[in-house]
Amino acid sequence: MPYAPPPRTPPGRAPEPGRRSRRDPALLALAAGLALLVVAVAGAGWYGHGTGHARPPAARGTGAPPPGTAAPPAEGVTPPTGPALRTPGPVRVPGARELAAARQPGEGTSWIASDSTDLPRRSIRADGPWIVGDTVVRALFREVTAYRLADGAELRSPTLPTPVCEAPEHTTPDGRIVVVLATGTARRGARCDRFRMIGLRTGKAGWTKELLRADPTPDTPVLLAHTAISGDTLAVAEGTGAAAYRVGDGVRLFGVPAEEPGRCRPDQVAGGSRLLVGSLCATGADRRRSHSGLRELDPRTGAVRWRHRTPAGRSVERVASVDPVVYTSVDNDRLTDDWRIVAPGPRGEVRRTIDPRPQGFEHCVHSGIDAGLQPCPGIVVGHGLVHVGGTDRAGAYDLATGKLLRGIRTHDGRTLTPVGFRAAPGTIVYESATPSRPGRTFVLDGGGAGGEEVLLRHPAAAGAEYDTGAGRVLRVGGRVVVTPAHVSGDDARRQPRMASFAPGPD
């Protein structure tokens, strides 16, 4: 089911097998979602030493993950007699007062958001978060929930008629978004072709439409539409075509034509301050001859500003930044075993290609592939640098030279996720929690291992931080917001919906 992908790998564990790239022409000829195994990227050498910041394990907070649940007996089979097995309860999320009372000197403040909404017993995709004014908003299953940034109070949670399949990475400047809804709640057989505009500042729904295919010729259902917002323009790619619509009223603005001639079909979009369209340029079923195209379009008119293409045998996988444009490239056969960071120039030429594999960096912090052009967790671009993270390590490359300027490595399996940068040279990094130790936020500069500046010590009492899985991490001012990329619908393993940390009073 498009809105129920596999769960994200928790921090400190080996990545789950990925899926073959969406740009594999042989798979397009068979089915858009055929799952194949990939081996997660593994790094070879490293350039630094331990961080030198080891601290004694903190007591696990009230959000400790429950032990595994025993599989239920098969239908018609009588379970064996004997002592009753303990049924694990859901993760208990501490309240604001409890967290405040347990906070130790030097620790930041925190809040943990929970939700008692009943979910199907499977992995549910979570979209967002989006920062809108003084709120942070997430879409999960049939709800779009807004929390107050200051204290995590739930402000509104309108219910949608059917589950959310997909949502853009960005909103309009005034906080509107368009979510893609399934045609029904069934796990199988539903299509993702209903669109609803929502004002995230108020939670009120606007127009709802079944947007037509950009290319209506193929008589096949839309299984999953990828979307992006740039300004007031919504771009929709359906795997065989793309079109743009006005967010305000859903009126179609323009279609995105195929190129070369007819071989490069637009299949992906990325938004933000620029509108990018990715294309699959297939030559039959030969992956070694196929490549990807990338175009920047004027979001109001559809005019092409520049074009870029990958070498034969490689594809655009994720867009890490649209200003400047930086994307990840993967080999059509080896996928994330052979990935690069690529920065096109102002005319679409290749400005810089960086190979992060020798340092052991993982593609978008092992978030997998085949999930749209955005986001790419773990890669942040700014101040002429590409900040990259992964399990046990983080670093920064110079876009002008392609050289690694600084890096750090830990030894306890935590995921290090760059979340920003400072005007002075420095990468702001979130270090994920473990079952026994809280996370933290620090600045990695050029001073070498052990010299990092701790910005925020996360409270040990907020043990539910680990259960978020650190799927997405945002930094808003001095506050860090951590959210899962997928949420389990198993009541015995209920996860927190969001965790947030901020500097506390001295």
Side-chain angles (χ1 to χ4, degrees):
M1 185 57 204
Y3 54 85
R8 179 187 179 277
T9 306
R13 299 184 187 173
E16 294 287 341
R19 298 165 61 190
R20 186 169 288 277
S21 173
R22 58 182 175 272
R23 292 172 179 78
D24 185 335
L27 292 187
L28 289 178
L30 296 174
L34 184 61
L36 294 176
L37 295 178
V38 285
V39 181
V41 61
W46 192 241
Y47 47 86
H49 301 284
T51 61
H53 63 267
R55 56 180 184 268
R60 172 72 173 161
T62 53
T69 306
E75 185 176 356
V77 177
T78 304
T81 59
L85 295 176
R86 176 181 175 272
T87 301
V91 173
R92 194 182 75 79
V93 176
R97 292 184 179 180
E98 183 178 346
L99 288 170
R103 177 175 168 265
Q104 299 297 313
E107 293 181 341
T109 61
S110 63
W111 55 259
I112 311 290
S114 184
D115 188 349
S116 59
T117 301
D118 188 33
L119 298 174
R121 193 170 179 176
R122 58 178 182 263
S123 176
I124 306 296
R125 166 180 171 144
D127 286 284
W130 304 282
I131 305 298
V132 181
D134 61 353
T135 65
V136 54
V137 187
R138 289 225 75 176
L140 178 67
F141 195 50
R142 293 177 55 193
E143 294 185 345
V144 179
T145 307
Y147 302 94
R148 189 160 52 211
L149 269 173
D151 56 12
E154 183 177 310
L155 301 180
R156 51 192 169 271
S157 188
T159 301
L160 301 170
T162 55
V164 175
C165 295
E166 205 263 0
E169 174 76 358
H170 301 89
T171 70
T172 63
D174 60 356
R176 291 174 296 164
I177 203 164
V178 179
V179 297
V180 186
L181 301 180
T183 54
T185 58
R187 185 172 186 177
R188 298 182 183 275
R191 302 187 312 278
C192 296
D193 58 4
R194 296 184 179 180
F195 295 74
R196 171 169 290 197
M197 190 269 281
I198 301 174
L200 298 185
R201 294 183 183 274
T202 63
K204 295 182 178 180
W207 54 266
T208 300
K209 294 186 178 182
E210 293 185 15
L211 299 182
L212 299 176
R213 300 181 64 91
D215 180 0
T217 303
D219 188 19
T220 56
V222 178
L223 296 178
L224 179 60
H226 295 291
T227 59
I229 287 179
S230 180
D232 192 47
T233 297
L234 168 72
V236 180
E238 300 168 352
T240 59
Y245 304 84
R246 193 161 52 219
V247 173
D249 52 16
V251 170
R252 181 182 169 106
L253 298 176
F254 55 85
V256 181
E259 294 188 316
E260 284 192 33
R263 291 194 305 113
C264 288
R265 304 185 66 86
D267 68 336
Q268 293 289 309
V269 287
S273 59
R274 293 179 175 178
L275 176 61
L276 304 181
V277 175
S279 298
L280 167 68
C281 302
T283 303
D286 187 353
R287 293 191 298 270
R288 303 314 308 164
R289 297 177 59 193
S290 300
H291 65 278
S292 282
L294 195 64
R295 286 174 275 175
E296 181 186 356
L297 304 185
D298 185 316
R300 294 167 296 180
T301 66
V304 178
R305 292 176 174 169
W306 51 260
R307 291 176 174 86
H308 170 81
R309 62 171 289 171
T310 67
R314 299 195 68 85
S315 298
V316 176
E317 187 56 44
R318 296 286 185 98
V319 171
S321 169
V322 299
D323 189 13
V325 175
V326 175
Y327 71 86
T328 66
S329 163
V330 299
D331 181 86
N332 289 347
D333 284 324
R334 302 187 64 211
L335 303 181
T336 54
D337 274 351
D338 185 357
W339 74 287
R340 304 287 191 276
I341 296 172
V342 182
R347 295 176 298 277
E349 74 281 7
V350 176
R351 172 189 172 199
R352 180 65 54 196
T353 299
I354 298 170
D355 185 356
R357 295 174 303 158
Q359 308 300 344
F361 292 119
E362 297 152 342
H363 180 259
C364 298
V365 189
H366 54 67
S367 60
I369 62 173
D370 200 22
L373 285 183
Q374 293 174 312
C376 181
I379 298 184
V380 177
V381 181
H383 291 281
L385 303 177
V386 179
H387 311 260
V388 189
T391 301
D392 284 341
R393 62 201 68 199
Y397 289 91
D398 188 336
L399 264 180
T401 64
K403 294 182 178 180
L404 185 70
L405 296 185
R406 52 181 175 265
I408 192 171
R409 182 175 181 180
T410 63
H411 300 283
D412 55 5
R414 300 191 191 210
T415 298
L416 302 185
T417 304
V419 293
F421 38 82
R422 300 202 299 192
T427 306
I428 301 176
V429 178
Y430 167 75
E431 184 177 44
S432 67
T434 71
S436 61
R437 295 171 61 186
R440 65 170 187 156
T441 305
F442 65 90
V443 177
L444 169 64
D445 57 24
E452 64 273 12
E453 173 190 350
V454 177
L455 291 180
L456 185 59
R457 285 182 53 207
H458 299 184
E465 176 185 5
Y466 171 76
D467 299 294
T468 64
R472 293 294 309 281
V473 186
L474 299 181
R475 189 169 185 268
V476 187
R479 177 177 294 278
V480 172
V481 177
V482 186
T483 62
H486 302 91
V487 173
S488 172
D490 187 345
D491 290 340
R493 307 185 70 87
R494 188 181 298 276
Q495 299 168 253
R497 300 299 191 254
M498 193 176 300
S500 183
F501 307 93
D506 296 333

